[in-house]
Amino acid sequence: MLEELKATGEAALADIAAAADGAELEQLRVRYLGRKGELTLLLRRTGSLPAEERPAFGQTANQIKKKLEAALAQAEASLAGRAQGPAVTAGVDVTLPGIKPRRGHLHPVTQTERAILAIFERMGFTVVEYPEVELDWYCFEALNMPPDHPARDMQDTFYVEEQVVLRTHTSTSQIRVMENTPPPIRVVAPGKAFRRDSDATHTPMFHQVEGLMVSEDISFAHLKGVLIDFVHQFFSPEVPVRFRPSFFPFTEPSAEVDIGCVVCGGGGCRVCSQTGWLEILGSGMVDPNVFINVGYDPDEVTGFAFGMGIERIAMLKWGINDLRMFYDNDLRFLRQF
Ligand code: DAH
């Protein structure tokens, strides 16, 4: 019977060590130490032993009982600790570096816009912003685009009302700033523009930066100096720049500015359509009709203006071939900037 007692004790200890939770421990307490528990029943049989064996048996039984009670209490405490989570479990190395929370950053279009503006601000230009919903006057009429001008075609322009449009370009800012301020003027105006267009190089909403400098004796040489300096600061001092004659209703003469292809270095590739050049902006000397429309005297002042697409410049800078990626909000794309 003494052997049976010891075996029962061993089995009970093993069961307690393997218990997974408090409920299981309670079951074990009942099974071994309860009123009809295995150990309890063995103890009741002490009387059936020969008298000289009884004290040793009783002593051993009490020791085993105490051991089991202690083991149950300890198992209970350690299971309760584990339930609170790993922080209180021994073995956590608190000197290891923590998990870094992910930080957001500015959208690549915003980053590009700010980089462009910073260069012009260093040249003394002031940043101004004007409405995205505009009167026909600011978007077309005052910019020397009469009512039958093709740029007003319903294909291109979002109309809110007959005389109210979503601005198709930031050139509206030229009129807005000049009608409110006497010359001299030196501003850059960033913002959204809208056109009914959607493919790999056009989105219905895009961003532009407009520039305007007006004073006495501003010449095409000033235009060239400012824009060449801008290109060299934004892209690199080695990039070739050329001015190609063009037409815009609100400038005369007009020029588009090309830079040597940043992908192939001028040799000709798919991005520059084998020409070696990439167009980056439109510019020109402010048309005298525009000055008249804002109440300036074209015999007193001259000026130049320019406008560039921010997404287009960002695409060239980073070699992105689909404009729509800026607006898909795919984090795998955005996290690269
Ligand atoms: N507004 C023109 C466009 O959206 C760009 C432009 C061309 C702006 C010539 C100018 C300029 O200020 O002088 O395509």
Side-chain angles (χ1 to χ4, degrees):
M1 228 166 84
L2 190 61
E3 290 312 308
E4 200 181 334
L5 178 67
K6 284 182 180 161
T8 305
E10 298 287 301
L13 282 175
D15 286 347
I16 291 168
D21 53 37
E24 222 173 286
L25 285 177
E26 189 49 34
Q27 277 174 9
L28 291 172
R29 184 194 307 281
V30 173
R31 177 170 154 201
Y32 290 106
L33 302 175
R35 267 199 322 130
K36 291 181 180 169
E38 291 180 28
L39 205 70
T40 317
L41 294 180
L42 271 170
L43 266 165
R44 288 219 188 115
R45 285 161 57 197
T46 313
S48 66
L49 287 169
E52 65 277 12
E53 285 176 26
R54 281 182 213 159
F57 184 83
Q59 242 174 15
T60 311
N62 275 327
Q63 276 168 9
I64 289 174
K65 203 173 156 185
K66 276 200 185 123
K67 247 195 207 170
L68 291 190
E69 274 163 0
L72 278 167
Q74 212 195 343
E76 224 158 64
S78 102
L79 282 175
R82 214 179 305 161
Q84 279 177 21
V88 296
T89 310
V92 171
D93 184 351
V94 295
T95 66
L96 285 173
I99 297 163
K100 263 199 195 162
R102 215 192 274 279
R103 285 179 67 190
H105 64 70
L106 294 174
H107 190 277
V109 170
T110 309
Q111 289 183 39
T112 310
E113 177 180 298
R114 292 192 181 183
I116 293 168
L117 295 177
I119 292 169
F120 287 107
E121 285 182 273
R122 285 199 293 272
M123 294 189 215
F125 285 75
T126 304
V127 178
V128 291
E129 287 186 76
Y130 292 105
E132 292 162 5
V133 180
E134 264 297 9
L135 292 169
D136 180 280
W137 168 258
Y138 294 96
C139 199
F140 300 121
E141 187 89 41
L143 286 164
N144 208 22
M145 276 182 260
D148 57 354
H149 195 279
R152 295 162 164 246
D153 199 313
M154 285 293 286
Q155 296 300 111
D156 299 318
T157 308
F158 287 110
Y159 277 84
V160 178
E161 287 170 22
E162 202 177 313
Q163 291 299 314
V164 182
V165 301
L166 300 188
R167 66 178 177 192
T168 56
H169 53 182
T170 48
S171 300
T172 53
S173 317
Q174 295 184 34
I175 308 303
R176 285 271 175 199
V177 75
M178 286 193 284
E179 74 172 4
N180 283 317
T181 329
I185 284 181
R186 189 163 43 172
V187 294
V188 273
K192 291 180 167 66
F194 306 85
R195 287 182 203 171
R196 288 180 46 159
D197 227 344
S198 185
D199 60 39
T201 52
H202 300 87
T203 47
M205 185 282 298
F206 58 104
H207 296 77
Q208 291 186 326
V209 172
E210 192 78 13
L212 177 70
M213 182 161 180
V214 179
S215 186
E216 293 164 19
D217 296 328
I218 295 290
S219 73
F220 203 90
H222 294 113
L223 179 159
K224 285 186 74 175
V226 165
L227 293 179
I228 290 172
D229 194 31
F230 163 74
V231 168
H232 286 169
Q233 286 196 52
F234 187 85
F235 289 99
S236 117
E238 279 84 48
V239 163
V241 186
R242 77 175 182 188
F243 291 76
R244 185 167 34 76
S246 184
F247 174 80
F248 297 101
F250 36 92
T251 44
E252 183 60 35
S254 304
E256 283 177 289
V257 174
D258 296 342
I259 61 170
C261 181
V262 287
V263 177
C264 65
C269 67
R270 212 165 43 85
V271 175
C272 60
S273 311
Q274 310 303 329
T275 63
W277 294 96
L278 296 165
E279 181 231 311
I280 60 156
L281 59 83
S283 65
M285 303 306 293
V286 179
D287 193 290
N289 286 339
V290 174
F291 283 143
I292 290 167
N293 287 336
V294 296
Y296 281 15
D297 182 349
D299 292 329
E300 297 278 313
V301 290
T302 51
F304 68 81
F306 59 88
M308 64 184 93
I310 299 177
E311 285 86 348
R312 178 166 172 81
I313 294 209
M315 285 168 81
L316 297 178
K317 186 164 176 106
W318 282 303
I320 297 160
N321 55 20
D322 193 327
L323 176 57
R324 291 168 291 200
M325 293 218 247
F326 287 122
Y327 300 112
D328 284 344
N329 279 334
D330 184 335
L331 290 178
R332 291 169 303 178
F333 171 76
L334 294 174
R335 281 195 182 122
Q336 297 177 80
F337 302 94

